[in-house]
Amino acid sequence: METKTSHLRSEEMILNMGPQHPSTHGVLRLEVELDGELIIDVRPHIGYLHRCFEKHCEAMTYPQIIPYVDRLDYLASMYNEFGYALAVERLAGIEVPPRVEYIRVIMGELQRIASHLVAVGTYGLDIGAFTPFLYCFIEREKILTLFEMTCGARLLYNYIWVGGVSHDLPPDFIRLTKEFIVTFKPIIAELNNLLSYNKIFIERTANVGILPLDTAINFGVTGPNLRASGLKWDLRRDDPYSIYDKFDFEIPVGEGWHGTVGDCWDRYYLRMLEMEQSIRIIEQAIEQIPDGDVTSAIPKRIKPAEGQIYSRVENPRGELGYYIVSKGGLQPHRLKVRPPSFVNLEVLGELCKGHLVADVIAILGSIDIVLGEVDR
Amino acid sequence: MKSTEEILELLKGKFGSDIIGLVSAPPEKMIDITPASLYNVAVFLRNNEELDFDNLMLLSGLDDANGSTLSVVYHIESVKEKHKLVLRVTVPKDNPITESVVKVWECANWHEREAFDLIGIKFNNHPNLIRILMPYDWNAGHPLRKDYKNPEFYQGMKVPY
């Protein structure tokens, strides 16, 4: 008997993913164009969390902006404040005491570990491994407890101010941080055994979503995603700020351990390696931290002269930049943020082409976005 | 590694009167160019072997608050040569059109959509110039302009609270 196939439809199909979907890490809608199971294109639709951050900033004084900055990348608030304080200090020419610099670096690197733990844990969750997520969050909780001890908040700190920090470290902080480091070091190896080298996990992520280096630079991809494609580019080294030149640490790059350079597994594993380097920085900073006042350089009134600055730092997700234009007033004339997730997300369509629907989740998770800063 | 002044000389030699000059905005310096020459200047900066500007860090739209002009500021850098440059084009507010640089730096795509969405600058030859952060059917103008007024209603919902 002859089979009739003429009535079967064979045109391309549009599949809507999100906005409410746990694997989109927030409210992100993906319009996926499919040819059968194969992806032709992925178009992200963003803006569901838009809350006019930049417009608000034009109506506020420089110190008042800091709590808003926390809410951009809510998994790395300390680093957002760090970058913002640095930008205003460079614009207004404010020098900060050495103890403040050390506190900022310690907080920033602790935040990097906490942020990477969420990235790694939820990535496992996306792929279907539930247990590593819980291990990650136990460790992250310890870091948040350290932050809570210092400034009273667990997520949105308002701790790093322009010219200083709001409080000095509590007396027990150094001892407890040392204890945390001692207990955390073996956890990285444990997580590696639990998730990184898992056969199923490698099958799902190696050789998937390969990002070639020239595409990465052309799309402005930064942070662990760029380094996984094989470029040794870290603003802590390549555009040094604060006191990062005083520390000895390495910049890991992707080597295609289980597949091709720049695949999902490389992007994932690079975060594990970066946590080790952050620990090295914290250890050195704790050894060297000097005594001194932390609030003496905080100005009562910040009124930078007319001018502009683009200042950037290496946030856990990539290059976080603040472009501030001052017309000599108490409020910025214009403040624009370059959120790393916003720029990194754009490459998603390029990465997904030719893959299967299930791989979209693996690729999106490996880029590690936070919608709070994509939408601002 | 080249300084802004050296790059300015190079550009002036190549593009002549399209390069308006150096503007000081301490601590930064920017090079003012005409909107018509923008695309060619961008291609030159990217492809010249000595300059090699392969990374567009940030593209931002600005309301100059003088009632007559808007501007677009480009922060670019070279990953290999490690130098940076700031370019600026200024367009009239009643007809804000400039050239798109998406063909030069791919990441300009979303940045230009954002500048269109929030400031209202139009980019010629952009592949998909639609709103990005605001709702697609927002018809009350561009919020980051200094003279922007909130509409009273959006789809039947009261806007000011």
Side-chain angles (χ1 to χ4, degrees), chain A residues 61-66 81-97 100 104 158-166 294-304 324:
Chain A
T61 60
Y62 289 93
Q64 280 176 331
I65 294 171
I66 292 173
E81 291 170 7
F82 190 176
Y84 175 74
L86 209 67
V88 179
E89 282 155 14
R90 279 175 177 171
L91 182 66
I94 300 167
E95 286 279 325
V96 296
V100 171
R104 286 178 177 180
N158 191 10
Y159 177 61
I160 296 175
W161 288 357
V162 177
V165 290
S166 72
V294 295
T295 50
S296 58
I298 297 176
K300 291 227 162 50
R301 222 165 70 110
I302 303 169
K303 204 174 171 188
I324 307 177

Side-chain angles (χ1 to χ4, degrees), chain B residues 12 14 32 37 39 49-50 56 78 80 95 97 100 102 106 116 122 124 126 143-144 154 158-159:
Chain B
K12 269 195 171 152
K14 185 101 184 13
D32 245 344
S37 68
Y39 180 76
E49 269 176 27
E50 279 176 41
L56 173 71
S78 164
K80 202 165 41 176
N95 186 25
I97 296 179
S100 165
V102 176
E106 196 65 54
F116 164 72
K122 295 188 183 69
N124 269 344
H126 188 283
L144 272 183
Y154 167 66
K158 202 160 173 285
V159 174

Side-chain angles (χ1 to χ4, degrees), chain A residues 55-352:
Chain A
K55 187 78 176 170
H56 272 302
C57 292
E58 291 174 10
M60 285 185 295
T61 60
Y62 289 93
Q64 280 176 331
I65 294 171
I66 292 173
Y68 282 82
V69 165
D70 280 337
R71 283 148 180 86
L72 289 172
D73 178 351
Y74 42 76
L75 294 178
S77 303
M78 278 290 183
Y79 231 99
N80 296 348
E81 291 170 7
F82 190 176
Y84 175 74
L86 209 67
V88 179
E89 282 155 14
R90 279 175 177 171
L91 182 66
I94 300 167
E95 286 279 325
V96 296
R99 185 175 171 84
V100 171
E101 300 271 29
Y102 277 92
I103 292 177
R104 286 178 177 180
V105 167
I106 293 171
M107 290 299 172
E109 294 307 315
L110 280 173
Q111 182 76 83
R112 190 185 306 276
I113 297 175
S115 170
H116 280 352
L117 280 172
V118 178
V120 166
T122 52
Y123 190 45
L125 204 60
D126 288 347
I127 303 285
F130 188 79
T131 317
F133 171 73
L134 300 174
Y135 279 74
C136 290
F137 266 60
I138 292 170
E139 296 308 310
R140 176 171 178 259
E141 208 61 18
K142 291 179 189 162
I143 297 176
L144 296 191
T145 309
L146 287 173
F147 287 159
E148 190 182 12
M149 221 173 99
T150 313
C151 60
R154 296 174 67 78
L155 265 185
L156 307 162
Y157 311 105
N158 191 10
Y159 177 61
I160 296 175
W161 288 357
V162 177
V165 290
S166 72
H167 310 71
D168 201 351
L169 294 176
D172 268 353
F173 183 87
I174 298 288
R175 183 179 60 83
L176 290 171
T177 310
K178 277 182 182 161
E179 278 176 22
F180 165 74
I181 288 176
V182 171
T183 55
F184 182 65
K185 270 183 183 167
I187 300 280
I188 296 183
E190 198 177 339
L191 275 174
N192 275 335
N193 286 329
L194 201 59
L195 184 63
S196 312
Y197 307 137
N198 181 303
K199 181 96 173 35
I200 306 169
F201 182 72
I202 292 176
E203 292 281 315
R204 279 298 304 277
T205 52
N207 282 326
V208 170
I210 298 155
L211 179 63
L213 185 56
D214 51 340
T215 314
I217 294 174
N218 201 13
F219 273 87
V221 174
T222 46
N225 300 327
L226 176 65
R227 289 191 284 276
S229 294
L231 182 65
K232 223 176 200 158
W233 180 260
D234 189 318
L235 297 179
R236 290 176 290 177
R237 268 287 158 71
D238 291 292
D239 193 1
Y241 54 93
S242 192
I243 47 164
Y244 275 106
D245 48 355
K246 289 190 185 165
F247 303 120
D248 175 32
F249 63 100
E250 268 152 43
I251 302 164
V253 291
E255 289 168 16
W257 290 279
H258 283 281
T260 319
V261 176
D263 60 7
C264 287
W265 201 86
D266 276 15
R267 283 196 285 278
Y268 157 83
Y269 191 61
L270 208 78
R271 298 196 167 89
M272 302 297 281
L273 295 178
E274 279 190 8
M275 285 198 272
E276 287 169 16
Q277 299 305 321
S278 291
I279 286 180
R280 278 178 70 182
I281 297 175
I282 297 170
E283 278 176 335
Q284 293 167 50
I286 283 178
E287 286 306 315
Q288 299 169 10
I289 188 166
D291 286 330
D293 195 13
V294 295
T295 50
S296 58
I298 297 176
K300 291 227 162 50
R301 222 165 70 110
I302 303 169
K303 204 174 171 188
E306 202 163 311
Q308 68 174 28
I309 185 130
Y310 176 68
S311 162
R312 52 185 189 161
V313 291
E314 185 74 32
N315 174 285
R317 283 175 186 75
E319 175 181 332
L320 171 75
Y322 291 93
Y323 172 53
I324 307 177
V325 182
S326 162
K327 293 261 175 186
L330 288 170
Q331 292 108 354
H333 171 71
R334 171 93 164 92
L335 192 154
K336 177 155 166 70
V337 190
R338 178 214 196 270
S341 299
F342 177 82
V343 184
N344 290 352
L345 179 60
E346 202 185 334
V347 83
L348 180 70
E350 205 63 30
L351 288 183
C352 288

Side-chain angles (χ1 to χ4, degrees), chain B residues 2-16 19 31 44-45 48 50-51 53 83:
Chain B
K2 283 198 184 306
S3 69
T4 304
E5 284 80 7
E6 285 168 331
I7 298 169
L8 180 72
E9 285 312 308
L10 261 175
L11 286 177
K12 269 195 171 152
K14 185 101 184 13
F15 294 97
I19 310 300
I31 295 179
F44 173 74
L45 289 173
N48 187 300
E50 279 176 41
L51 302 175
F53 282 104
H83 47 216

